[in-house]
C-alpha cells in the first residue's frame, strides 16, 4: 500500500517537472493548493485546492499534489495552528511576567464532560487560538512555499530531468 502511494507520488512529481507551464504557474499552484490544508475542511481541501489554483491561474495538478501532501500532514498542521495561536495570544495579552517558555509549555485545555461555566471561556480561547494560528500559518506557508518552489523549479528542474532521463537510459541498457 505504501509503495503504491510512493510510486504514484513519484509519478506526479515527474509529471510536474515535465510540464511546459512556467515555473511561476507551477509554484503558484503548489502554494495555493497547500493553503486549505491548514483548516479543518474534512477532506474538501482536495476539491478546494484546484478551485483556488484556477482562481489565481496557477497549475492545477501541482495544487492537487500539494493538497494531497497536506492531507497526510494534517495532524501536524492542526497542532501547529493551535501552538502558534497560543504564542500570539501570549504576546498580545502582555502579562506582567511573560516568558517565552510560557508559549511552548502552555497546557492544552483538558476536555471534561462536566459542564462548568469556566470551561466555556477556555474552549472559546482554544478556538480563537486555533483560528489565529491557522490564518497566520496559511498566509506564511503560502508565501514561503511559493518562493521555495519557484527557486527549486528555476534552479533544479532541468538537472533533475536530465538525471532522470539518464537513469532511465542506464536501466534500459542493463536490461
Amino acid at each position: 500500500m505504501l509503495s503504491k502511494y510512493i510510486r504514484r507520488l513519484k509519478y506526479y512529481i515527474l509529471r510536474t517537472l515535465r510540464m511546459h507551464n512556467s515555473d511561476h504557474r507551477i509554484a503558484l499552484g503548489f502554494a495555493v493548493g497547500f493553503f486549505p490544508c491548514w483548516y479543518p475542511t474534512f477532506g474538501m481541501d482536495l476539491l478546494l485546492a484546484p478551485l483556488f489554483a484556477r482562481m489565481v491561474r496557477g497549475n492545477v495538478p501541482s495544487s492537487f499534489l500539494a493538497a494531497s501532501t497536506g492531507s497526510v500532514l494534517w495532524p501536524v498542521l492542526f497542532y501547529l495552528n493551535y501552538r502558534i495561536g497560543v504564542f500570539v495570544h501570549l504576546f498580545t495579552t502582555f502579562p506582567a511576567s511573560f516568558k517565552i517558555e510560557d508559549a511552548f509549555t502552555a497546557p492544552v485545555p483538558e476536555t471534561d464532560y462536566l459542564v462548568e461555566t469556566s470551561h466555556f471561556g477556555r474552549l472559546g480561547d482554544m478556538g480563537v487560538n486555533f483560528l489565529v494560528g491557522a490564518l497566520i500559518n496559511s498566509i506564511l506557508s503560502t508565501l514561503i512555499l511559493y518562493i521555495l518552489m519557484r527557486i527549486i523549479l528555476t534552479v533544479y528542474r532541468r538537472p533533475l530531468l536530465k538525471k532522470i532521463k539518464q537513469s532511465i537510459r542506464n536501466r534500459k541498457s542493463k536490461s
Side-chain angles (χ1 to χ4, degrees):
M1 172 92 175
L2 183 62
S3 63
K4 183 179 177 182
Y5 182 75
I6 291 172
R7 183 180 172 127
R8 186 173 287 164
L9 183 65
K10 286 180 185 178
Y11 169 74
Y12 283 117
I13 290 171
L14 180 63
R15 189 172 172 188
T16 302
L17 287 173
R18 294 185 69 202
M19 286 184 180
H20 295 292
N21 285 344
S22 68
D23 297 339
H24 164 72
R25 289 188 63 179
I26 294 172
L28 187 63
F30 193 86
V32 171
F34 199 76
F35 184 84
C37 297
W38 291 99
Y39 299 95
T41 57
F42 305 107
M44 296 297 288
D45 52 350
L46 292 172
L47 298 174
L48 291 173
L51 293 175
F52 289 163
R54 285 240 187 233
M55 284 175 33
V56 297
R57 296 183 184 210
N59 186 279
V60 174
S62 64
S63 72
F64 187 75
L65 183 66
S68 60
T69 303
S71 65
V72 172
L73 296 173
W74 71 266
V76 175
L77 300 178
F78 281 18
Y79 180 75
L80 285 173
N81 284 344
Y82 178 71
R83 282 298 171 188
I84 294 295
V86 168
F87 190 71
V88 169
H89 179 75
L90 288 175
F91 263 121
T92 56
T93 55
F94 293 114
S97 63
F98 177 73
K99 295 178 185 168
I100 195 74
E101 292 84 25
D102 293 342
F104 298 111
T105 60
V108 176
E110 295 181 20
T111 53
D112 295 346
Y113 290 106
L114 301 173
V115 179
E116 297 177 11
T117 56
S118 64
H119 288 305
F120 289 124
R122 279 194 257 159
L123 289 175
D125 287 344
M126 190 169 122
V128 169
N129 291 341
F130 180 84
L131 182 62
V132 167
L135 287 170
I136 291 170
N137 286 335
S138 61
I139 291 169
L140 284 178
S141 72
T142 301
L143 293 173
I144 292 169
L145 277 174
Y146 173 76
I147 292 168
L148 282 176
M149 285 301 293
R150 186 76 189 261
I151 291 170
I152 288 170
L153 289 171
T154 303
V155 175
Y156 297 110
R157 187 178 192 179
R158 290 180 196 253
L160 280 173
L161 284 173
K162 283 182 183 179
K163 191 174 241 183
I164 290 169
K165 196 180 273 188
Q166 189 177 26
S167 69
I168 290 172
R169 283 185 195 152
N170 290 342
R171 211 179 292 160
K172 285 183 180 179
S173 66
K174 288 182 182 179
S175 298

